[in-house]
Every structure is written in structure tokens, then in C-alpha cells.
Amino acid sequence: KKAIEQYTEQGHAEIVPVDELDKEDGSVYYLAHHAVRHVRKDLRIVFDTASKTHGKSLSDHLYSGPDLLNRLTSVFLRFRLRSIAVMGDIRRFYHSVRIPECDRDLYRYFWYADGTLDSKIIVFRLLVHLFGGNSSQSACTLALLDSLEQAVANGRLTSKEADKIRDSLYSDDLLPSFDTVGEAVQTIVRGIDALGADKFHLAKFISNSQDFLRQIPEDRRLPQTDDTADNKTSTALGMQWSYDEDILKFDYDIPADEITTKRKLLSSIASVYDPTNLVSYVMIPAKLTLQNTFRRGLKWDDKLPDDMTIEVKKWIANLRRLRDVKIPRTFHHGISTKIIGRQLHLFSDASELVYASMAFLRNEHEDGQITIGLVATRNRLAPLKTKITIPVYYGRYCMCHYCFC
């Protein structure tokens, strides 16, 4: 009740006037809606544009639009590149962009006049884009990118600042990194003002730098991010980031006893989120066990044999040991002197079962120090049906390195 009534209180929806209830052109659609709960977020109302009436839904007639999102891995790697890391998001991103007036009656919904079950049911319509709309992501991202362009044209942002913000966005998440606190403060403060002029509210900022946070308005920071906060861990694009220690952590809790079939094993493997495969080596035993189920011809819901169950339990035990693994967020952890050169080094290896590659970033600092950081890894199992020799694997995934700016 409270969540859906906030739509009208905050100007995101309105009651449809009586004289507009019947439209001659028939451009009207009524949306089903339901509540979605999340352990770390407020209850959210989702309007279902895919539900069908007489075999048709609003989604069937909506163009989803082009994919304007940055690649998630690219945003994450840029987040790791520089010393000062900043993370924030755009509050109620979809609700920051209004639906064209001519389309609003396609987003009608029913609710009670005073929120009680015995009150009169009346018709509302949304004024902003909605969670669950197949065009919302594209439309809102386009509006956000246009806002950045206009900010540059109006002098509220420099081209460099706008590019930094644009390249650090993934939907409503912002994850830039900077060389200095001064650069971070200037870009973020100016970004807050520039995007705020178009009703995009940047907030919930956290950082590995308390100096940065002290210069950001308190109402724009994530609550309890100061020195007194007990838990200084957040999620950066789904990865656990301890912003106090400035490290990436891994904690996957998969009950071994629940993995009893081929289907559940595949589901467990897919549930391990690691976009740049920093710890993908720990997934190889599970992948080999899954491959073995295909080799033995097991069906999706067949019970796993005892020997496979033992292998699964070993894998889960090793997966839990990742809680002790900590990877520095930056590729030059602990060294603050200026970097004057970088090299990306790739190494590959192969066996009869698996072939893999790893990428490391080698940083040369102006004081002569050298730092090295793990960038990403990839691995693949040898195919079941096609026999490929190890020399061929080496030919395809040879060791190489090259320089980049």
C-alpha cells in the first residue's frame, strides 16, 4: 500500500480524469502489478507489461530500443584502474524519466481510492518509466546520455568529465576511479549538479578515500560510510568490495546437499558470479563433473552417482575457502607514485582436459617500482566430441604480451 501510493505522492502517477477515461482512439492499456521484496532494498512495485489479455501484451507492441549500456566488464576494469575508487547510483533511475504525454494512457493501472479493500477502485496512469517495462532501460539510458551531452554544451561539465561519467555508468550504477582526490571531488560534485538539473539524483556514494567522502554532501553519501562504520563492504556490480581495505572478496554459499542432479549442478555453477573470472580456476572441477554427466548420458533430473557426489562436495569445500582469498581492487595496490607505463601480459596453457588464459597488468612507476595485478582469466573445457591435440591448443591460445596506453 505505502509503496504504490508513493507513486502519486511523488508525482510519478496521477488519477485519470473522468472525462478522459474513454478514449476514442483506443490507445489504452491496463497493467497488472505486484510487489517484489529484496533483503537489502525497499519493497518495489513491478508493473507487468508482459502479461497477456486476449493473447496480447503491451510488451508485444513496444520496441525495446537499442542496447545503450556499457559492457559490464569494461566498467568494472576501469573501476579497478586508478587509486581513488568511487561508487554511487542514480536514485529511482527509471522514475527520473517521464513518459511522453501521448503514451501515458498505455500505462494505466487500478488501485483503491483510500488504500483499503472496501474502498472504491479508481484508475491511475503512470507518468514515468516503470520497472518491468521492456523499453525502460533503453529510453532512460538515452535520456541520461543526452543529459551529459547537454551538460557539456551548457558548460556545466567539461568533455573529459562527461566522458569519465559516461564510461563509468552501468544502468543506474556509477563506478569511476581517479588518480587524485581533487579530480574525484571536482568530477563528482559537478556531475551531481549537472545531472541534478535534469532530475537525475546521484547519491549513495562510497569510496576507499575518506578525504573524498568528507567533501561530498552528507545527504549524498551512503549512510554510515565514515570511520565509525562497522561493516565497510559493499557490492560493486555484484562483486564484494571492501572499500576500507580496498580489496575484492569472494563468498559463495552453495549447500552441497542440495546438488543432487545434473540440473542442480548446472544451476549451482551458473550461480557463481565472477564477471572477469578472477577465481574461475575454482570452477574447473565442477565443470569437469558436469561434463562427465554428459559423457555418462545422465538425464537432467537423474540422481548423481556416488563418485560424482563426492566430487561435488570437494568442490563446494574448496569454493568456501575463497572466503580467505582477497584480491586488491587496483592493479598497483599500495603504490601511489605516478605510473608512466603499462603492459598487458597474457599467458596461456593447455592440457587434455582444460585450456586457459590469464591477463596481468604490469605497471612501471616513475620511481622505478614495478607492480603487477591480475586483470582477468578465461578457461574452457576440452570438447567431448572433437579431439584436439595440445599443440593445437597452444597454437590457438599462445602466450603473448603487448603495450597499451
Side-chain angles (χ1 to χ4, degrees):
K1 176 180 179 294
K2 180 180 178 181
I4 199 166
E5 290 181 351
Q6 282 181 345
Y7 275 78
T8 50
E9 293 170 3
Q10 297 173 356
H12 297 156
E14 65 181 6
I15 297 174
V16 178
V18 175
D19 60 345
E20 295 182 24
L21 286 174
D22 297 321
K23 293 193 68 176
E24 294 181 359
D25 62 2
S27 56
V28 172
Y29 192 84
Y30 291 87
L31 295 167
H33 52 79
H34 61 276
V36 173
R37 291 172 172 82
H38 192 285
V39 292
R40 296 193 304 270
K41 298 179 181 179
D42 295 334
L43 183 143
R44 175 179 292 179
I45 303 299
V46 172
F47 293 88
D48 189 358
T49 61
S51 63
K52 292 183 181 291
T53 303
H54 302 300
K56 296 180 180 180
S57 71
L58 182 60
S59 293
D60 294 335
H61 298 273
L62 274 178
Y63 176 49
S64 61
D67 182 4
L68 300 175
L69 293 177
N70 290 316
R71 289 183 60 192
L72 185 145
T73 52
S74 298
V75 175
F76 186 66
L77 289 176
R78 282 191 285 268
F79 176 66
R80 297 187 61 198
L81 196 57
R82 305 188 186 281
S83 297
I84 307 300
V86 175
M87 188 169 72
D89 71 16
I90 300 172
R91 270 186 200 159
R92 300 183 179 274
F93 179 41
Y94 289 172
H95 294 172
S96 302
V97 182
R98 298 181 79 80
I99 298 170
E101 189 172 348
C102 60
D103 294 332
R104 290 173 183 171
D105 283 304
L106 294 168
Y107 296 87
R108 291 185 180 184
Y109 64 95
F110 296 109
W111 190 243
Y112 301 100
D114 60 8
T116 60
L117 295 178
D118 56 355
S119 62
K120 181 182 178 181
I121 294 176
I122 56 179
V123 180
F124 295 81
R125 62 186 173 197
L126 291 169
L127 306 177
V128 296
H129 283 274
L130 65 159
F131 299 105
N134 62 341
S135 63
S136 297
Q137 181 67 69
S138 184
C140 294
T141 302
L142 179 62
L144 178 58
L145 297 178
D146 182 69
S147 179
L148 289 171
E149 289 183 9
Q150 294 301 317
V152 174
N154 297 332
R156 294 196 298 265
L157 287 175
T158 66
S159 295
K160 182 179 179 181
E161 290 166 342
D163 288 344
K164 170 69 78 171
I165 294 173
R166 183 185 301 108
D167 292 342
S168 303
L169 283 166
Y170 187 78
S171 188
D172 59 344
D173 292 318
L174 179 69
L175 295 97
S177 64
F178 304 88
D179 288 319
T180 66
V181 171
E183 180 190 3
V185 171
Q186 177 174 311
T187 301
I188 295 303
V189 170
R190 285 167 61 87
I192 289 173
D193 293 339
L195 293 177
D198 288 329
K199 310 302 181 184
F200 291 111
H201 190 86
L202 276 173
K204 295 184 180 179
F205 283 104
I206 61 174
S207 175
N208 63 325
S209 170
Q210 287 295 320
D211 289 340
F212 165 81
L213 288 173
R214 279 190 284 268
Q215 299 179 66
I216 299 299
E218 187 172 352
D219 64 329
R220 300 287 180 145
R221 305 177 211 157
L222 189 72
Q224 295 187 342
T225 54
D226 57 20
D227 293 330
T228 62
D230 294 328
N231 183 13
K232 296 186 178 182
T233 298
S234 187
T235 54
L237 297 178
M239 294 290 289
Q240 291 188 52
W241 174 43
S242 172
Y243 52 89
D244 180 35
E245 301 173 88
D246 203 16
I247 57 173
L248 302 174
K249 301 194 295 187
F250 307 87
D251 187 0
Y252 305 111
D253 188 13
I254 301 176
D257 295 338
E258 294 183 5
I259 307 175
T260 56
T261 65
K262 176 179 174 180
R263 188 186 305 277
K264 290 180 179 179
L265 176 57
L266 175 61
S267 177
S268 298
I269 292 171
S271 71
V272 177
Y273 181 76
D274 181 16
T276 54
N277 295 290
L278 293 174
V279 291
S280 65
Y281 58 87
V282 81
M283 301 303 297
I284 292 174
K287 290 180 179 180
L288 288 171
T289 301
L290 180 64
Q291 187 185 62
N292 202 16
T293 65
F294 285 95
R295 183 180 286 110
R296 296 192 192 181
L298 294 181
K299 295 180 180 179
W300 285 106
D301 295 311
D302 286 349
K303 186 176 180 181
L304 295 178
D306 291 343
D307 61 319
M308 288 188 181
T309 300
I310 292 172
E311 292 302 316
V312 167
K313 289 182 177 180
K314 287 181 181 177
W315 168 60
I316 293 296
N318 285 324
L319 194 65
R320 289 171 180 161
R321 293 175 62 190
L322 286 177
R323 295 168 183 169
D324 299 324
V325 174
K326 300 176 181 180
I327 295 179
R329 176 193 58 82
T330 63
F331 306 118
H332 53 278
H333 192 63
I335 305 298
S336 58
T337 54
K338 184 178 179 181
I339 296 173
I340 58 175
R342 287 190 171 110
Q343 293 179 329
L344 186 66
H345 292 252
L346 289 90
F347 299 90
S348 298
D349 201 356
S351 72
E352 294 180 351
L353 299 176
V354 183
Y355 53 95
S357 295
M358 304 181 74
F360 293 87
L361 190 62
R362 181 183 185 273
N363 310 285
E364 183 180 351
H365 298 257
E366 64 179 355
D367 61 358
Q369 294 190 79
I370 302 295
T371 53
I372 297 174
L374 176 63
V375 177
T377 75
R378 291 287 185 273
N379 61 61
R380 295 287 185 274
L381 301 189
L384 280 176
K385 296 182 179 180
T386 305
K387 189 67 176 178
I388 301 177
T389 63
I390 292 178
V392 171
Y393 283 138
Y394 275 112
R396 292 183 179 181
Y397 301 93
C398 61
M399 182 178 71
C400 60
H401 72 275
Y402 59 89
C403 301
F404 73 103
C405 297

